[in-house]
Amino acid sequence: KQEVTQIPAALSVPEGENLVLNCSFTDSAIYNLQWFRQDPGKGLTSLLLIQSSQREQTSGRLNASLDKSSGRSTLYIAASQPGDSATYLCAVRDGGSYIPTFGRGTSLIVHP
Amino acid sequence: SQTIHQWPATLVQPVGSPLSLECTVEGTSNPNLYWYRQAAGRGLQLLFYSVGIGQISSEVPQNLSASRPQDRQFILSSKKLLLSDSGFYLCAWSGAGGLNIQYFGAGTRLSVL
């Protein structure tokens, strides 16, 4: 059974720092991995999706990488801003499954 | 473009009352549909998913049920709510093929008193 872990659970940083959020999974036979952002009391917003054949995806200040062999993905946030404060979740979809497995998320606070 | 609508945004219900939450998707056909619950301090729990009209799979035994009467409509129901049904309910959809990117609705905050 796939298990997804996100470390750290919480992170508080000053504005301007470059950040790395980690997501690890136990079964490397994945179909894709998706990163989400969730603001308090809101739904999840899709940030990036990496297919199993890809190594990374970029969108603006966000870069997500995937290393299937080691069961890891990282979300890199460049030049963090207070507006980046949110919970970031990763979800892994195994090959042949409709059901993604979610991590518990990393709660990020970027203070001015 | 595709959009997902979920309502109501907030709901306060007494114990023992019925529940009906509705989710609709626009701009796509034959989506995979999902209901999740997110309790305070806990992760995202998958409740039901559907790959087609009338096809419902339940992930955990519970006091809730789901139905898909139309291709792009997904309904979460209960005949009698329990205190433990309180939480944040999220509907999501993904394409039947291709990238399978998952998109979420805005959520419904349910408080059972």
Side-chain angles (χ1 to χ4, degrees), chain B residues 11-33:
Chain B
L11 192 59
V12 180
Q13 292 284 96
V15 171
S17 64
L19 172 74
S20 181
L21 302 181
E22 188 164 344
C23 172
T24 60
V25 181
E26 296 178 355
T28 188
S29 60
N30 195 32
N32 298 324
L33 297 172

Side-chain angles (χ1 to χ4, degrees), chain A residues 2 5 7 11 17-18 24-25 45 51 54 67 88 100:
Chain A
Q2 182 74 268
T5 304
I7 295 174
L11 188 61
E17 282 201 5
N18 299 323
S24 61
F25 46 94
T45 300
Q51 293 289 84
Q54 298 175 321
D67 184 345
Y88 292 81

Side-chain angles (χ1 to χ4, degrees), chain B residues 18-100:
Chain B
L19 172 74
S20 181
L21 302 181
E22 188 164 344
C23 172
T24 60
V25 181
E26 296 178 355
T28 188
S29 60
N30 195 32
N32 298 324
L33 297 172
Y34 309 80
W35 277 112
Y36 291 89
R37 177 168 58 204
Q38 191 175 37
R42 300 182 63 182
L44 212 57
Q45 180 187 33
L46 179 65
L47 302 175
F48 302 94
Y49 72 95
S50 171
V51 299
I53 296 175
Q55 301 179 58
I56 309 294
S57 296
S58 174
E59 287 297 293
V60 293
Q62 58 206 315
N63 184 43
L64 302 168
S65 62
S67 62
R68 185 171 178 173
Q70 299 180 45
D71 182 43
R72 290 168 290 175
Q73 183 185 30
F74 206 23
I75 298 172
L76 183 69
S77 305
S78 173
K79 292 182 180 179
K80 290 185 178 182
L81 284 169
L82 306 172
L83 288 173
S84 58
D85 291 324
S86 294
F88 191 51
Y89 289 83
L90 290 158
C91 180
W93 75 273
S94 66
L99 296 179
N100 294 132

